[in-house]
Amino acid sequence: MSEKIKMLELASNKAANDSGFIAYLMKKYLEVENISEREILLALHCSVEDYYKLNLCRVPDINSNDFVTRLNNISQYTNSSPTELNKIIKRANSILRLSGNDVEQYNYLMAARDKQNKDKK
């Protein structure tokens, strides 16, 4: 791993504690979805370096008029899929709106829904 990527990783890890950065959303998303960073890299179609750069970007406000413009600018800067990034940001925001036991309840309901859909097939 290059020195540059190590520095980006350290900065990304620090940013993961600040809700203003995408790193914070990624951390929550990875925890709730129970997926690895490798899976996120594949979904976003970006390199490790670009992933850390993405994590260091400020979170665009999903309710603002310029959300799509900001999302596209971030995706272009980080060479990542705007569609996947949009999905991750919106899902992570939804996760954060839930709190404590609500997250566990939500995961339980999601599992029940998935089982129900599987049984219908």
Side-chain angles (χ1 to χ4, degrees):
M1 187 181 292
S2 76
E3 194 66 30
K4 180 179 181 179
I5 292 175
K6 286 179 188 177
M7 296 300 288
L8 286 169
E9 180 182 23
L10 288 172
S12 177
N13 289 339
K14 186 173 182 176
N17 297 317
D18 183 335
S19 62
F21 289 95
I22 290 178
Y24 183 81
L25 294 181
M26 286 292 182
K27 180 180 172 184
K28 298 300 179 189
Y29 184 81
L30 291 170
E31 288 171 3
V32 171
E33 294 295 326
N34 195 29
I35 58 176
S36 68
E37 284 187 347
R38 178 78 177 135
E39 290 171 288
I40 287 284
L41 289 171
L42 292 172
L44 289 170
H45 308 292
C46 68
S47 68
V48 172
E49 181 178 341
D50 287 332
Y51 173 72
Y52 291 134
K53 286 181 181 179
L54 171 64
N55 283 339
L56 294 172
C57 292
R58 300 294 294 174
V59 175
D61 180 359
I62 62 174
N63 297 315
S64 71
N65 292 336
D66 68 341
F67 172 75
V68 173
T69 301
R70 292 191 65 213
L71 179 79
N72 287 332
N73 288 341
I74 292 168
S75 293
Q76 187 175 23
Y77 170 69
T78 60
N79 300 307
S80 58
S81 165
T83 304
E84 285 300 313
L85 181 57
N86 181 42
K87 183 178 93 174
I88 291 167
I89 289 172
K90 288 183 176 177
R91 173 89 166 108
N93 272 301
S94 295
I95 291 165
L96 291 172
R97 277 187 289 216
L98 300 170
S99 63
N101 292 335
D102 291 341
V103 172
E104 292 171 16
Q105 171 99 12
Y106 179 76
N107 287 337
Y108 177 76
L109 292 173
M110 291 291 289
R113 185 205 68 202
D114 291 345
K115 182 179 182 332
Q116 183 181 27
N117 289 340
K118 191 176 182 181
D119 291 344
K120 287 182 181 180
K121 291 181 182 178

mmCIF file of all heavy atoms in Angstrom, residues 8 23 75 115:
data_model
loop_
_atom_site.group_PDB
_atom_site.id
_atom_site.type_symbol
_atom_site.label_atom_id
_atom_site.label_comp_id
_atom_site.label_asym_id
_atom_site.label_seq_id
_atom_site.Cartn_x
_atom_site.Cartn_y
_atom_site.Cartn_z
ATOM 1 N N LEU A 8 -4.580 8.661 3.212
ATOM 2 C CA LEU A 8 -6.007 8.810 2.919
ATOM 3 C C LEU A 8 -6.844 7.903 3.825
ATOM 4 O O LEU A 8 -7.906 8.296 4.308
ATOM 5 C CB LEU A 8 -6.289 8.499 1.446
ATOM 6 C CG LEU A 8 -5.846 9.548 0.431
ATOM 7 C CD1 LEU A 8 -5.953 8.994 -0.992
ATOM 8 C CD2 LEU A 8 -6.684 10.810 0.569
ATOM 9 N N ALA A 23 -17.612 9.361 4.941
ATOM 10 C CA ALA A 23 -17.023 8.247 5.704
ATOM 11 C C ALA A 23 -17.942 7.813 6.838
ATOM 12 O O ALA A 23 -18.064 6.615 7.125
ATOM 13 C CB ALA A 23 -15.661 8.644 6.266
ATOM 14 N N SER A 75 -19.169 11.997 -7.519
ATOM 15 C CA SER A 75 -18.954 10.752 -8.274
ATOM 16 C C SER A 75 -17.884 10.935 -9.338
ATOM 17 O O SER A 75 -17.044 10.046 -9.534
ATOM 18 C CB SER A 75 -20.254 10.299 -8.933
ATOM 19 O OG SER A 75 -21.178 9.916 -7.969
ATOM 20 N N LYS A 115 -38.024 -12.923 3.830
ATOM 21 C CA LYS A 115 -38.479 -14.301 3.957
ATOM 22 C C LYS A 115 -39.835 -14.469 3.281
ATOM 23 O O LYS A 115 -40.075 -15.422 2.556
ATOM 24 C CB LYS A 115 -38.562 -14.717 5.420
ATOM 25 C CG LYS A 115 -38.994 -16.176 5.594
ATOM 26 C CD LYS A 115 -39.045 -16.561 7.053
ATOM 27 C CE LYS A 115 -39.414 -17.991 7.308
ATOM 28 N NZ LYS A 115 -40.223 -18.684 6.376
#
